[in-house]
Amino acid sequence: MKTLLNCDVVIVGAGPAGSSLALLLGEMGYDVIIVDQHRFPRVKICGEGLTSDVWRQFKKMPGNIYDHFLQLDEKLPIDCFRIATDCLNPVEFQLS
């Protein structure tokens, strides 16, 4: 079954760049559809942590996303991380 999409913009890829662009265009009044190869929500380990650059980018984004994120209840600080080339010998680093 074929479906016709009625929108102003179709963005392929719902990663950070595609999602940011969709947010910006939506704030500008465009009707946006994002297409991605994966089903959401999904567990993606690299998406679990936020670097200091991400915080700076949040402040630049439209829609007051930075303040909205700060109000979310489920945030946990990272106090250590593990690096493993195999499951038998991980190396753990404490950040405190």
Side-chain angles (χ1 to χ4, degrees):
M1 178 179 178
K2 292 184 180 182
T3 304
L4 178 63
L5 302 176
N6 275 333
C7 64
D8 298 315
V9 179
V10 174
I11 297 173
V12 178
S19 298
S20 298
L21 180 60
L23 179 65
L24 176 64
L25 291 174
E27 289 285 322
M28 295 171 64
Y30 290 95
D31 186 14
V32 180
I33 293 176
I34 302 176
V35 179
D36 195 89
Q37 66 181 340
H38 298 288
R39 190 175 287 232
F40 288 85
R42 67 177 185 195
V43 175
K44 189 173 180 206
I45 197 160
C46 66
E48 298 294 323
L50 299 176
T51 65
S52 58
D53 186 53
V54 171
W55 291 101
R56 284 191 293 275
Q57 298 305 320
F58 274 173
K59 289 179 181 180
K60 295 177 184 177
M61 293 177 74
N64 214 10
I65 193 168
Y66 178 77
D67 292 330
H68 176 71
F69 180 79
L70 291 179
Q71 294 173 9
L72 293 175
D73 290 333
E74 296 185 32
K75 294 187 294 292
L76 298 171
I78 297 172
D79 59 1
C80 71
F81 64 94
R82 284 189 198 126
I83 298 175
T85 57
D86 59 51
C87 293
L88 301 175
N89 299 306
V91 177
E92 187 169 291
F93 297 91
Q94 294 294 324
L95 298 176
S96 52

